[in-house]
């Protein structure tokens, strides 16, 4: 049975001629798991919001949306902004009170939902104490307790780290399979979702370009700009021009490589660097006198013109380390040298002018003005310089906008540009790919490589293994307060079994040392001739 | 210590209003001493004692004790002359007891905050004033968010070299401005999330996360009886010009029972556990 049917729908925002949404025909069956994908600004969010009339955007709507249900749940992107109450229990109760349920019914629904999602242990906590992943689980629970028949998700994992994101997606999948709730989910990272979905809808400029099974959509996306977002397994297949269905997960792709190719190895060169930009010697840190040590003797150096990625799980102290390097926190033991000079000897703002810049995880905190231009002007007075740099990075059209009106990717890019106006020689980045789609991630990688060629030394702290493998010279793992295994990226990722790129997992048994998709493809093409 | 929080917020609310009301309006040294001791004892029992607050309270005590006799020269018994004005015994003692009363009020408010904090407090108002309660609830949620964003923004501004240590106020204002803009933006999303969960301020049910049981009823009745008796059998006390006499009165006894009631409840709970453990 169809739960949703759209006929000749068009929607445009006020004062805009261009139609944000133009859909001739779109229907979803009960129990389906539909993935909405497309470049940022393609209309994913607008379409989802049009389906939930309480939050429909203002504008001109033509056409028909037939919904077979009244109970629609909506989970937003940012876990923080959608939390209403001070503690978890009342957060659950809020929606149920709106449904005018009695106290007994509410208690039962809270108990039932929390146990089903496995978050009973959170029920008496305050919402402010929860981690991002836990917050998003509470949001899902609060919506699920209202017993929706259709669940809409607007990039629900954009603010989560990969491990939480994977758990969250598994949970959505379980809800779909076990409870038969129809799911429509908009996402930009498709790696996990692609093979789980029953149908994939690809939007381009508000129009449906393709709405089909995951395999067929993967084929359709070949040579499209958005192909970058596809799971690695499908991309490798697409790039090799094979006939048939593309593999959508690692094990299928592994089989495909093993069947078609002979063992080989990838030869890589190690770039030589000379002088140290940053030296960290035996640094120890804890937040309070009686709290446990977060960093236990961290040792490393960053060469001039090098990109170093620091990987590690949640709470392993990655952000703390960056705060120490940018003098926001002080180590209680050990030394940090910036271009050979002790970091303590940099007085006032001298460390931050043309030496070292730090882009924190949350780009909203970088903006303090009404427009992006004003924010840039705080640092760079010359408007011509601003304009030339803005056009170089492709953000000229954003200058007049309010920073908070930008999309996640645009905001991250503008924040980075603002930081770059300080002309840093050392750049520290904390999770720069969070909430970026594949296209923006690619842009960012290009920008970082360009900076590297200009001699800037960069440290990137990230969960994103693929991104680290693309941009880094060396990688390191922060675990239990120590920086272990600092080495060249090919060595780093090919010796790891779990903490490695999808390409390496796929090709490991056949191709030695190949950790990037282009390296695997190059080796394959060599054999194909 | 769990036992005290188990009571219904309404019963607890009435209790704290009674204790604090009697303490502040009767202004009687015996009442002040009783509430000070019971309050301090309760704070220790609830393990909420902080060395920092002890320092603050002691300095408050000293400040008022010294400043009151310097300002007020009423009273019949001059101790000595300072700058040719008399420092009287009565005004020293009045200052002392006034300070002790303030300290007792602070201690009891701390207990109130702990036992009846956040959501239970709002719950008290949610029946007569549902909209106010909701606004209060949303603002309570915003405080930690504001703090968090403030720290993030301040750090970002610092590492951009835009936080000028010499123009601290100007720099702070800029940070706070940015945080307010962020919060406004944030609240739009929150409103949207409320709508998405079918919020409608006219028709809502009210989730009673605690039920008013027999124990709550007994606690409430006992509180009201004791408080009424204390007020009826109160003994008036004057500091000026001479101290009035203090003799035994029923009001002191009833207030003693009232102020020590939570301690009995907490101790009973602890003893019960001790007993249970020895049985296990």
């Amino acid at each position: 049975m169809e739960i949703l049917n759209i006929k000749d729908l068009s929607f445009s925002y006020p004062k805009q001629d261009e139609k944000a949404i133009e859909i001739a025909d779109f229907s979803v069956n009960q129990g389906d798991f539909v993935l909405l994908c497309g470049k940022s600004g393609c209309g994913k969010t607008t379409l989802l919001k049009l389906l939930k009339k309480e939050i429909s955007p203002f504008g001109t709507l033509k056409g028909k949306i037939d919904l077979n249900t009244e109970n629609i749940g909506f989970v937003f992107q940012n876990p923080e902004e959608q939390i209403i109450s001070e503690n978890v229990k009342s957060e659950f109760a809020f929606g149920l009170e709106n449904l005018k349920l009695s106290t007994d019914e509410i208690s039962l629904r809270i108990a039932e939902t929390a146990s089903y999602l496995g978050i009973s242990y959170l029920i008496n906590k305050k919402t402010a104490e929860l981690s991002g992943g836990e917050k998003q689980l509470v949001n899902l629970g609060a919506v699920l307790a209202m017993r929706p028949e259709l669940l809409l998700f607007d990039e629900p994992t954009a603010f989560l780290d990969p491990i939480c994101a994977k758990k969250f997606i598994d949970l959505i999948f379980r809800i779909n399979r076990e409870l038969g709730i129809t799911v429509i989910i908009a996402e930009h990272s498709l790696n996990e979702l692609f093979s789980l979905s029953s149908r994939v809808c690809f939007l381009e400029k508000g129009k449906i370009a393709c709405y089909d099974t995951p395999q067929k959509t993967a084929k359709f996306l070949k040579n499209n700009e958005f192909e970058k977002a596809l799971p690695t397994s499908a991309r490798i297949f697409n790039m090799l021009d094979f006939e048939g269905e593309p593999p959508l997960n690692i094990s299928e792709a592994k089989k495909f490589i093993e069947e078609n190719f002979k063992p080989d190895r990838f030869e890589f060169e190690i770039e030589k660097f000379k002088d140290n930009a940053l030296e960290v010697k035996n640094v120890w840190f804890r937040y309070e006198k009686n709290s446990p040590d977060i960093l236990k003797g961290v040792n490393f150096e960053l060469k001039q013109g090098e990109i170093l990625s620091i990987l590690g799980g949640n709470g392993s102290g990655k952000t703390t380390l960056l705060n120490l390097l940018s003098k926001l926190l002080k180590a209680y033991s050990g030394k940090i040298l910036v271009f050979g000079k002790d970091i303590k000897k940099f007085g006032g703002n001298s460390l931050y002018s043309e030496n070292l810049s730090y882009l924190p995880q949350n780009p909203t905190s970088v903006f303090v003005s009404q427009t992006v231009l004003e924010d840039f002007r705080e640092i760079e007075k010359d408007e011509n310089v601003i304009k030339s740099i803005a056009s170089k990075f492709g953000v000229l059209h954003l200058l007049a906008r309010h920073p908070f009106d930008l999309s996640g990717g645009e905001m991250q890019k503008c924040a980075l540009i603002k930081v770059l106006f300080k002309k840093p020689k050392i750049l520290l980045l904390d999770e720069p790919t969070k909430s970026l789609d594949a296209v923006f991630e690619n842009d960012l990688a290009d920008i970082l490589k360009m900076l590297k060629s200009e001699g800037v030394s960069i440290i990137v702290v990230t969960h994103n293994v693929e991104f680290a493998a693309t941009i880094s010279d060396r990688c390191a793992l922060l675990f239990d307060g120590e920086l272990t295994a600092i080495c060249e990226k090919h060595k780093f990722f090919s010796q790891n079994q779990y903490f490695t790129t999808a390409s390496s997992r796929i090709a490991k048994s056949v191709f030695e040392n190949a950790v990037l998709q282009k390296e695997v493809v190059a080796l394959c093409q060599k054999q194909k001739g | 210590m769990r036992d005290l929080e188990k009571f219904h917020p309404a019963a607890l609310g009435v209790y704290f209003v009674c204790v604090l009301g009697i303490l502040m309006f009767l202004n009687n040294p015996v009442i002040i001493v009783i509430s000070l001791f019971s309050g301090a004892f309760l704070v220790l029992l609830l393990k909420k004692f902080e060395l920092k607050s002890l320092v603050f309270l002691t300095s408050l005590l000293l400040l008022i004790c010294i400043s009151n006799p310097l300002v007020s020269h009423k009273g019949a018994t001059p101790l000595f002359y300072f700058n040719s004005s008399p420092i009287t015994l009565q005004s020293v003692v009045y200052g002392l007891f006034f300070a002790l009363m303030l300290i007792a009020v602070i201690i009891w408010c701390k207990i109130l905050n702990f036992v009846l904090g956040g959501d239970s407090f709002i719950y008290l108002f949610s029946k007569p004033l549902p909209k106010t309660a909701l606004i209060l609830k949303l603002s309570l949620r915003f405080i930690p968010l504001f703090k968090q964003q403030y720290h993030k923004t301040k750090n970002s501004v610092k590492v951009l070299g835009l936080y000028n240590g010499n123009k601290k106020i100007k720099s702070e204002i800029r940070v706070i401005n940015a945080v307010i803009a962020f919060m406004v933006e944030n609240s739009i999303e929150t409103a949207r999330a409320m709508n998405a969960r079918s919020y409608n301020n006219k028709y809502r049910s009210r989730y009673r996360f605690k039920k008013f049981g027999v124990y709550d009823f007994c606690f409430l009745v006992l509180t009201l009886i004791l408080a009424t008796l204390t007020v009826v059998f109160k003994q008036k006390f004057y500091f000026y010009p001479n101290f009035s006499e203090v003799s035994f009165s029923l009001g002191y006894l009833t207030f003693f029972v009232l102020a020590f009631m939570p301690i009995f409840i907490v101790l009973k709970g602890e003893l019960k556990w001790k007993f249970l453990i020895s049985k296990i």
Side-chain angles (χ1 to χ4, degrees), chain B:
Chain B
M1 77 188 205
R2 288 257 157 258
D3 294 276
L4 203 55
E5 291 164 78
K6 265 188 202 157
F7 282 101
H8 193 272
L12 287 172
V14 171
Y15 176 79
F16 280 105
V17 167
C18 288
V19 172
L20 285 169
I22 290 169
L23 172 60
M24 285 191 280
F25 291 110
L26 291 195
N27 200 9
N28 181 307
V30 181
I31 299 271
I32 291 170
V33 169
I34 291 174
S35 51
L36 194 64
F37 272 103
S38 59
F41 195 23
L42 198 54
V43 166
L44 286 178
L45 262 185
L46 297 173
K47 300 186 178 69
K48 289 281 139 183
F49 173 74
E50 282 165 14
L51 202 67
K52 236 173 29 192
S53 56
L54 188 71
V55 174
F56 167 72
L57 292 178
T58 321
S59 32
L60 185 76
L61 179 79
L62 286 176
L63 185 77
I64 297 175
C65 277
I66 294 167
S67 60
N68 188 57
L70 290 178
V71 183
S72 156
H73 304 294
K74 287 189 281 182
T77 329
L79 293 172
F80 58 91
Y81 286 84
F82 180 76
N83 261 355
S84 71
S85 34
I87 300 296
T88 65
L89 177 66
Q90 281 77 11
S91 93
V92 170
V93 174
Y94 180 81
L96 177 71
F97 276 103
F98 183 72
L100 288 179
M101 186 190 82
L102 262 185
I103 290 171
V105 169
I106 292 171
I107 290 176
W108 275 93
C109 283
K110 203 179 163 120
I111 298 168
L112 168 83
N113 186 25
F114 173 63
V115 179
L116 200 64
D119 273 7
S120 349
F121 187 71
I122 291 165
Y123 179 73
L124 274 181
F125 296 103
S126 66
K127 198 165 188 183
L129 303 164
K131 277 183 198 166
T132 319
L134 188 68
I135 290 171
L136 224 80
K137 189 167 147 171
L138 286 170
S139 2
L140 265 187
R141 151 95 188 106
F142 268 29
I143 296 166
L145 212 60
F146 191 95
K147 266 189 190 163
Q148 215 180 358
Q149 187 67 16
Y150 169 76
H151 281 294
K152 279 183 188 164
T153 309
K154 191 170 169 181
N155 277 347
S156 300
V157 172
K158 256 188 191 166
V159 288
L160 281 170
L162 296 171
Y163 192 90
N164 193 334
N166 302 325
K167 291 180 189 160
K168 216 169 181 174
I169 295 171
K170 210 177 156 193
S171 306
E172 281 291 321
I173 288 174
R174 187 150 72 187
V175 171
I176 287 169
N177 259 339
V179 178
I180 289 172
F182 171 80
M183 295 305 287
V184 170
E185 192 68 21
N186 208 338
S187 60
I188 296 171
E189 269 314 298
T190 308
R192 214 170 270 157
M194 285 167 73
N195 279 337
R197 280 190 233 161
S198 355
Y199 174 70
N200 176 333
N201 62 23
K202 272 188 202 141
Y203 310 105
R204 297 187 77 215
S205 64
R206 181 161 161 268
Y207 175 49
R208 282 176 287 133
F209 58 94
K210 271 172 188 164
K211 280 183 187 148
F212 201 86
V214 183
Y215 279 102
D216 300 304
F217 184 73
C218 296
F219 182 75
L220 182 67
V221 169
L222 202 61
T223 302
L224 287 175
I225 292 173
L226 288 171
T228 319
L229 286 176
T230 309
V231 175
V232 171
F233 293 99
K234 67 172 184 268
Q235 191 179 41
K236 285 232 157 119
F237 186 86
Y238 305 102
F239 286 93
Y240 302 116
N242 247 326
F243 304 123
S244 59
E245 293 249 323
V246 174
S247 61
F248 177 78
S249 132
L250 184 66
Y252 295 143
L253 186 67
T254 52
F255 185 75
F256 181 83
V257 178
L258 182 71
F260 276 79
M261 214 155 64
I263 296 171
F264 297 140
I265 293 165
V266 174
L267 273 182
K268 199 189 125 218
E270 303 252 308
L271 285 178
K272 203 165 138 193
W273 267 111
K274 286 255 159 66
F275 185 63
L276 276 176
I277 288 167
S278 68
K279 252 184 164 177
I280 295 164

Side-chain angles (χ1 to χ4, degrees), chain A residues 361-419:
Chain A
Q361 201 177 112
N362 182 352
T364 53
S365 66
V366 175
F367 299 102
V368 293
S369 309
Q370 299 296 319
T371 64
V372 176
L373 182 65
E374 271 176 60
D375 252 302
F376 287 173
R377 260 196 218 136
E378 276 195 310
I379 297 172
E380 179 60 59
K381 304 284 180 249
D382 189 348
E383 197 140 327
N384 292 325
V385 176
I386 293 180
K387 289 233 165 96
S388 74
I389 287 189
S391 67
K392 182 169 143 198
F393 287 99
V395 296
L396 202 56
H397 61 294
L398 303 175
L399 286 181
R401 301 262 291 272
H402 191 284
F404 294 155
D405 289 339
L406 307 180
S407 78
E410 292 167 341
M411 199 191 272
Q412 184 70 271
K413 220 170 171 182
C414 289
L416 179 62
I417 294 168
K418 182 170 179 186
V419 168

Side-chain angles (χ1 to χ4, degrees), chain A residues 288-443:
Chain A
E288 272 155 38
K289 201 174 137 204
N290 295 322
S291 64
D293 283 318
I294 305 285
L295 299 177
K296 304 172 184 171
V298 171
N299 275 305
F300 74 94
E301 73 267 354
L302 176 72
K303 304 281 182 192
Q304 284 183 26
E306 177 195 40
I307 302 183
L308 172 70
S309 291
I310 297 177
L311 300 138
N314 269 345
S316 57
K318 301 192 298 290
T319 302
T320 308
L321 179 61
L322 287 191
N323 282 334
L324 282 166
L325 297 180
S326 55
K327 217 181 151 197
L328 289 171
L329 294 172
K330 273 196 189 104
Y332 74 83
S333 161
K335 246 188 186 163
I336 298 171
L337 304 176
V338 180
F339 294 114
K341 186 176 163 189
D342 196 325
I343 197 165
K344 287 176 204 148
K345 290 184 182 141
F346 284 90
N349 285 328
S350 62
L351 178 64
Y352 308 123
S353 51
E354 307 202 357
N355 274 322
L356 179 146
S357 279
Y358 171 29
L359 181 60
Q361 201 177 112
N362 182 352
T364 53
S365 66
V366 175
F367 299 102
V368 293
S369 309
Q370 299 296 319
T371 64
V372 176
L373 182 65
E374 271 176 60
D375 252 302
F376 287 173
R377 260 196 218 136
E378 276 195 310
I379 297 172
E380 179 60 59
K381 304 284 180 249
D382 189 348
E383 197 140 327
N384 292 325
V385 176
I386 293 180
K387 289 233 165 96
S388 74
I389 287 189
S391 67
K392 182 169 143 198
F393 287 99
V395 296
L396 202 56
H397 61 294
L398 303 175
L399 286 181
R401 301 262 291 272
H402 191 284
F404 294 155
D405 289 339
L406 307 180
S407 78
E410 292 167 341
M411 199 191 272
Q412 184 70 271
K413 220 170 171 182
C414 289
L416 179 62
I417 294 168
K418 182 170 179 186
V419 168
L420 289 181
F421 280 124
K422 295 295 288 188
K423 300 187 190 74
K425 295 193 198 86
I426 300 172
L427 182 62
L428 312 176
L429 302 171
D430 193 359
E431 294 288 356
T433 61
K434 218 174 187 179
S435 76
L436 293 196
D437 66 19
V439 179
F440 267 110
E441 202 177 299
N442 217 43
D443 273 7

